[in-house]
Amino acid sequence: MASVGLVAEIAAGLCAAQANVSPKYFYDAAGSALFERITRLPEYYLTRTEAKIIETHGEEMARQIGPGATVIELGAGNCEKARALCAMIRPRCFVAIDISADFLHQAVDGLRDAFPSLDVRPVVADLLGEIVLPGDVPSARRLVFYPGSSIGNFDPEVALALLGRMRGLLGNDGALLIGVDLVKDEAVLEAAYNDAAGVTAAFNLNVLQHLNRLLGADFDLTQWQHRAFFNRQKSRIEMHLEALHETRVAWPNGFRNFRRGEHIHTENSYKYRIDDFAGLLGRAGFSNSLRWTDPEQWFAIFLARP
Ligand code: AVI
């Protein structure tokens, strides 16, 4: 079971007029493994497009950043992108921050094996909470690395606040390297979140299993179905879990009856226009940014400096 505070937060979301769950609860061990599978799906273009941009423009990125930096990766996951980045820019210290402790420690061991002279530090933290770095992490020439368009999972005002905190982490001589998914054809966007193999559906439904453990709830996964669509007005993919039948969900201090078709909102994934994201960076205190994209302009990587 989760702490009293977390239980209250989750229960409040489930009981809200529009029931919702924070996407951070996707990432238990099973969810993290499912997300890794998502990143390799043919429909999920984000990961491979970003990797291709790094491969194509890596030399220029490395020239801009220079060797010996301290990289702070937010939401490090399996550290796969970190490997490509470290090979490219040769940092002296690598701080991997992630919410999932088990996954992080495993990934960090792999990174240490691949780069024996790199000073690797795992930090377990929720990006929306306080991020406390070990005291001896160098404060000069920090590069905050936030790949994968995870910034898209926050509403723009929260994303702005988070970018402002990144700005704070990197001081005046640092930089932010951030991946951002761009607005594109609706069919391409929707396919990426409705893959034929059903991995995204399993990822979405897994959050209910996680809530059963965290909350002591009794969600029956067979009563729910995955829904994902592009909300053009808000420029975001929305993921929901929809009740297939009238169903009652109970947990130790509460319950909710869901009507057939009623849904729990589980995630937003905002898609930006390049200029809009550059504007957001400006509002967060970055005055100067370089950017690279793929030939179809599906994804962008920004290198932003104060
Ligand atoms: C982690 N994040 C960038 C993913 C996304 O595309 O918004 C999470 C995800 N949800 C469904 N598929 C992938």
Side-chain angles (χ1 to χ4, degrees):
M1 288 272 286
S3 69
V4 177
L6 276 192
V7 166
E9 176 194 302
I10 298 168
L14 289 176
C15 292
Q18 169 57 71
N20 62 83
V21 177
S22 164
K24 71 183 174 195
Y25 296 113
F26 280 139
Y27 301 96
D28 63 351
S32 298
L34 283 164
F35 180 64
E36 256 202 89
R37 285 180 60 197
I38 288 176
T39 64
R40 291 193 289 269
L41 290 168
E43 296 94 335
Y44 195 76
Y45 59 85
L46 288 82
T47 312
R48 66 170 178 278
T49 308
E50 184 180 50
K52 187 80 189 153
I53 297 171
I54 294 182
E55 198 185 305
T56 309
H57 301 284
E59 259 177 44
E60 197 193 336
M61 290 177 189
R63 212 175 35 249
Q64 291 288 340
I65 296 160
T70 289
V71 175
I72 302 170
E73 180 171 2
L74 306 179
N78 63 6
C79 290
E80 205 173 296
K81 290 169 187 158
R83 284 174 187 241
L85 183 75
C86 291
M88 195 172 93
I89 70 166
R90 304 262 153 219
R92 67 187 264 218
C93 178
F94 188 93
V95 184
I97 303 181
D98 203 279
I99 195 170
S100 169
D102 294 348
F103 213 64
L104 182 64
H105 287 108
Q106 238 180 48
V108 153
D109 286 346
L111 199 61
R112 285 191 177 121
D113 290 346
F115 300 95
S117 63
L118 183 65
D119 179 8
V120 184
R121 313 289 189 86
V123 173
V124 177
D126 176 353
L127 300 188
L128 294 183
E130 202 191 349
I131 300 176
V132 183
L133 299 182
D136 54 347
V137 168
S139 57
R141 298 201 44 236
R142 287 180 170 176
L143 178 78
V144 172
F145 181 44
Y146 196 37
S149 198
S150 293
I151 192 72
N153 295 131
F154 299 101
D155 287 343
E157 287 313 306
V158 181
L160 177 63
L162 188 55
L163 289 171
R165 291 176 59 213
M166 293 178 197
R167 163 74 190 82
L169 268 182
L170 53 81
N172 284 333
D173 62 350
L176 166 67
L177 190 66
I178 185 166
V180 183
D181 196 19
L182 302 177
V183 177
K184 61 186 65 60
D185 188 84
E186 211 159 297
V188 175
L189 285 169
E190 291 193 341
Y193 295 83
N194 289 287
D195 60 286
V199 183
T200 309
F203 173 72
N204 199 6
L205 283 159
N206 178 66
V207 81
L208 301 182
Q209 198 91 65
H210 195 193
L211 294 192
N212 282 349
R213 285 199 313 277
L214 287 173
L215 204 59
D218 63 355
F219 277 103
D220 173 354
L221 274 62
T222 65
Q223 300 299 301
W224 298 87
Q225 73 176 349
H226 164 73
R227 296 251 295 123
F229 56 86
F230 187 56
N231 178 336
R232 183 160 290 283
Q233 208 199 344
K234 297 200 163 154
S235 198
R236 68 189 191 195
I237 285 283
E238 293 187 11
M239 292 217 309
H240 297 261
L241 288 165
E242 184 179 300
L244 287 166
H245 309 282
E246 197 174 300
T247 184
R248 178 186 175 89
V249 180
W251 53 91
N253 287 312
F255 71 92
R256 175 159 182 173
N257 294 317
F258 289 90
R259 291 185 306 278
R260 178 168 167 244
E262 216 176 337
H263 47 94
I264 304 173
H265 192 166
T266 52
E267 188 182 58
N268 292 319
S269 190
Y270 284 85
K271 310 301 171 188
Y272 284 93
R273 290 180 202 288
I274 287 195
D275 290 346
D276 291 343
F277 195 77
L280 201 62
L281 286 170
R283 287 171 62 203
F286 293 92
S287 58
N288 142 9
S289 71
L290 296 172
R291 66 203 71 166
W292 297 273
T293 62
D294 54 295
E296 291 176 296
Q297 303 233 318
W298 279 7
F299 200 93
I301 299 180
F302 286 77
L303 180 66
R305 294 184 199 275

